[in-house]
Amino acid sequence: MRIDVLTLFPNMFQGFITESIMARAIKNNLVEINLVDFREFTDSKHKKVDDYPFGGGAGMVLSVQPVHSALISIKGYQDALKIIVSPQGETFTQKKAYELSNVKHIIILCGHYEGYDERIRDYFDYEVSIGDYVLTGGELAAMVLIDGITRVIPEVISKDESHINDSFNNDLLEHPHYTRPRVFEGKEVPEVLLNGHHKLINEWKLAKSLEKTKKVRPDLYKKYREGNNE
Ligand code: 6GU
């Protein structure tokens, strides 16, 4: 997969692409990340990429020209899936991560300022938000998208690190995990996990998942119950 990111702050991505699983996926050619600083594409003398809103109002608006020029400079942009990250978009979900992990070429625009010139949207397929809160810019949101998509590309995460039991894959949050030591400051690992009885262990895991989901995510719990016809 190839991902081009249109951003005014390419340096924000440096740690992200040089550490851990992202770095490994890039090294193994499973994903290629190309950062495009669209300020370099502005026709403005002073390298401006934003301007005052027509009709007045607070804040600045991202101009269409630099974004358009940067976009059409990307080889194969016509066939790429073009996404704007913005709080106005549809919410990113695990399901969406799986869908996007099958796309060959994705272009992501990170916005800033008060908003985008509406005509920018004509060049993109849709808008994605990472949740109901506002960030200072789209870069972190783009990294969230890229991370969520990359980790479900086959071969990025090995079988023993598998993501098939992840929270959300079955509409439930994950059960608790424990590793050594068996006792820490008097806190013990649940006995059931130590006895090697797989049926009992799986029952315990499901019960814990249900308990946690019901408590902190009643919305997901309801969805799970409905999905299981209960
Ligand atoms: Cl994609 N961008 C910004 N600026 N804020 C957000 C967001 C995106 N998603 C949630 N909040």
Side-chain angles (χ1 to χ4, degrees):
M1 170 183 303
R2 177 184 168 116
I3 303 176
D4 293 277
V5 184
L6 302 176
T7 171
L8 295 171
F9 302 97
N11 288 341
M12 285 182 71
F13 291 81
Q14 277 320 308
F16 175 61
I17 61 176
T18 57
E19 297 289 341
S20 188
I21 293 174
M22 278 308 306
R24 189 178 72 191
I26 293 166
K27 182 167 145 263
N28 293 341
N29 293 319
L30 296 167
V31 62
E32 180 187 346
I33 312 278
N34 180 43
L35 301 165
V36 181
D37 180 353
F38 62 87
R39 191 179 297 281
E40 291 171 10
F41 290 82
T42 180
D43 291 341
S44 122
K45 281 201 293 288
H46 303 293
K47 294 257 174 199
K48 263 166 58 89
V49 290
D50 60 343
D51 213 330
Y52 295 100
F54 276 123
M60 300 295 274
V61 174
L62 193 58
S63 307
V64 59
Q65 179 274 318
V67 173
H68 178 258
S69 297
L71 178 66
I72 64 172
S73 79
I74 294 170
K75 188 164 169 273
Y77 78 93
Q78 298 94 331
D79 299 325
L81 184 69
K82 296 172 276 289
I83 300 173
I84 299 177
V85 287
S86 107
Q88 272 77 48
E90 54 188 91
T91 310
F92 185 58
T93 58
Q94 191 60 32
K95 181 161 170 262
K96 202 115 205 113
Y98 278 104
E99 283 167 22
L100 294 175
S101 71
N102 294 311
V103 177
K104 288 258 167 324
H105 186 188
I106 297 176
I107 300 174
I108 302 175
L109 170 64
C110 305
H112 264 267
Y113 317 115
E114 199 55 31
Y116 306 79
D117 187 309
E118 190 63 23
R119 292 164 292 186
I120 290 175
R121 291 194 170 81
D122 296 344
Y123 302 101
F124 286 79
D125 298 301
Y126 58 89
E127 282 179 276
V128 175
S129 164
I130 61 164
D132 293 341
Y133 40 82
V134 181
L135 306 172
T136 59
E139 280 73 16
L140 283 171
M143 287 185 250
V144 167
L145 238 66
I146 295 168
D147 190 286
I149 295 166
T150 301
R151 69 186 286 285
V152 297
I153 295 174
E155 295 173 61
V156 167
I157 295 188
S158 67
K159 280 205 182 61
D160 39 315
E161 298 169 308
S162 177
H163 47 81
I164 53 173
N165 291 321
D166 284 351
S167 290
F168 302 115
N169 279 350
N170 55 9
D171 291 334
L172 289 177
L173 303 183
E174 276 193 50
H175 57 79
H177 301 79
Y178 293 88
T179 186
R180 287 186 290 186
R182 282 172 70 145
V183 184
F184 183 77
E185 291 201 323
K187 298 175 213 291
E188 294 183 18
V189 173
E191 189 65 33
V192 61
L193 299 178
L194 307 173
N195 65 18
H197 192 313
H198 292 293
K199 184 163 175 287
L200 285 182
I201 291 172
N202 287 334
E203 284 169 8
W204 178 87
K205 287 179 175 176
L206 178 61
K208 287 292 176 187
S209 278
L210 288 167
E211 182 186 311
K212 172 97 183 179
T213 309
K214 190 173 181 183
K215 181 154 174 250
V216 306
R217 290 293 305 272
D219 56 322
L220 276 185
Y221 184 74
K222 184 161 175 273
K223 199 165 144 200
Y224 173 82
R225 283 296 185 204
E226 284 162 2
N228 285 273
N229 295 320
E230 287 177 50

